[in-house]
């Protein structure tokens, strides 16, 4: 039997974690800009108040939330910036590369996956299938739907232009101001080939109006415009 994924690590997403992510743009702004007095201390204080901690070994310049998910933002601070793009990683996978035999036994990448599995509350499976990854995404989708009270507006299989690995489901919700996109995304850090399973919260202004359900190319471009930094 051929396995499309060498390794999968994940921690289930909860409605509470979704609520915290979705609520970040509207909380009182906390800045860490260099011209703000005691700004770094203010961000540190907010991180401590929430039970978060800094996380540098898995995703550069990110946070680990109280639910032990990894959160990253393109803003100086994820707190109270409605223009920020923010994503919450609840899964990480090391996909098989069918075009590169040398990646078939990439033991050094297993070491990186170990770091994800060692996070509190995370679990892993080696090897696994695309169906295992889809089960993780389906559980996360239930958490998003539970918080928002509505099912996703669009559902589409990812393409390899979005992230490495097997085609997995992207689901899209919208609030009045933000897009929530659940699915695979490229790990753009120094590790190259790994793929996040994440929930992105990005301003609707990142892309045009949501394409129709039958416009697969348009939906793929719309997703990329929101989650590709």
């Amino acid at each position: 039997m051929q396995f499309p994924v060498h390794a999968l690590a994940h921690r289930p997403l909860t409605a509470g974690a979704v609520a915290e992510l979705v609520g970040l743009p509207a909380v009182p702004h906390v800045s860490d800009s260099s011209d703000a007095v005691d700004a770094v201390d203010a961000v540190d204080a907010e991180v401590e108040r929430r039970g978060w901690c800094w996380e540098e070994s898995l995703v550069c310049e990110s946070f680990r939330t109280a639910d032990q998910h990894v959160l990253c933002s393109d803003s100086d601070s994820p707190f109270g910036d409605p223009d920020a793009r923010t994503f919450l990683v609840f899964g990480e996978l090391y996909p098989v590369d069918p075009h590169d035999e040398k990646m078939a036994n990439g033991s050094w990448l297993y070491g990186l996956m170990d770091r994800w599995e060692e996070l509190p509350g995370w679990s892993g499976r080696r090897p696994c299938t695309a169906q295992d990854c889809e089960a993780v995404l389906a559980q996360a989708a239930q958490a998003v739907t539970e918080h928002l009270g509505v099912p996703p507006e669009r559902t589409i299989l990812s393409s390899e232009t979005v992230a490495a690995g097997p085609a997995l489901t992207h689901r899209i919700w919208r609030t009045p101001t933000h897009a929530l996109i659940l699915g695979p995304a490229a790990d753009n850090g120094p590790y190259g080939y790994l793929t996040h399973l994440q929930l992105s919260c990005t301003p609707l202004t990142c892309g045009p109006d949501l394409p129709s359900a039958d416009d697969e190319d348009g939906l793929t471009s719309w997703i990329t415009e929101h989650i590709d930094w």
Side-chain angles (χ1 to χ4, degrees), residues 156-163 165-170 184 220:
I156 183 176
L157 283 180
S158 65
S159 73
E160 53 185 36
T161 62
V162 177
L168 297 173
T169 302
H170 272 112
T220 296

Side-chain angles (χ1 to χ4, degrees), residues 10-165:
H10 72 98
R11 177 174 172 82
L13 196 64
T14 64
V18 175
E20 183 174 45
L21 177 70
V22 174
L24 286 176
V27 301
H29 183 56
V30 179
S31 172
D32 72 347
S33 60
S34 58
D35 59 348
V37 177
D38 296 328
V40 173
D41 289 342
V43 172
D44 285 342
E46 181 64 15
V47 167
E48 182 177 359
R49 186 188 72 80
R50 289 174 176 265
W52 295 12
C53 63
W54 293 92
E55 177 57 69
E56 299 289 345
S57 65
L58 296 171
V59 181
C60 296
E61 299 180 359
S62 61
F63 304 91
R64 185 145 31 103
T65 70
D67 290 313
Q68 302 301 320
H69 301 120
V70 174
L71 182 141
C72 187
S73 174
D74 68 349
S75 175
D76 292 334
S77 163
F79 309 117
D81 185 351
D83 297 322
R85 302 185 190 211
T86 306
F87 67 75
L88 190 68
V89 181
F90 55 87
E92 190 79 1
L93 62 95
Y94 167 24
V96 171
D97 183 353
H99 307 296
D100 185 353
E101 294 181 359
K102 293 181 180 179
M103 294 293 289
N105 296 289
S107 58
W108 65 280
L109 285 173
Y110 286 115
L112 297 174
M113 291 298 299
D114 286 340
R115 297 184 190 177
W116 287 93
E117 290 186 31
E118 290 166 359
L119 293 176
W122 284 61
S123 61
R125 180 175 295 184
R126 304 180 186 187
C128 67
T129 66
Q131 288 70 32
D132 295 318
C133 300
E134 287 287 17
V136 172
L137 290 170
Q139 182 279 321
Q142 291 177 354
V144 179
T145 293
E146 179 181 345
H147 172 65
L148 295 179
V150 293
E153 290 187 68
R154 300 284 190 275
T155 300
I156 183 176
L157 283 180
S158 65
S159 73
E160 53 185 36
T161 62
V162 177

Side-chain angles (χ1 to χ4, degrees), residues 162-201:
V162 177
L168 297 173
T169 302
H170 272 112
R171 296 173 174 89
I172 300 169
W173 293 259
R174 287 182 296 173
T175 72
T177 57
H178 285 73
L180 297 177
I181 302 172
L182 179 79
D187 181 338
N188 290 319
Y191 313 140
Y193 197 67
L194 301 183
T195 294
H196 296 317
L197 299 182
Q198 69 179 36
L199 177 63
S200 301
C201 181

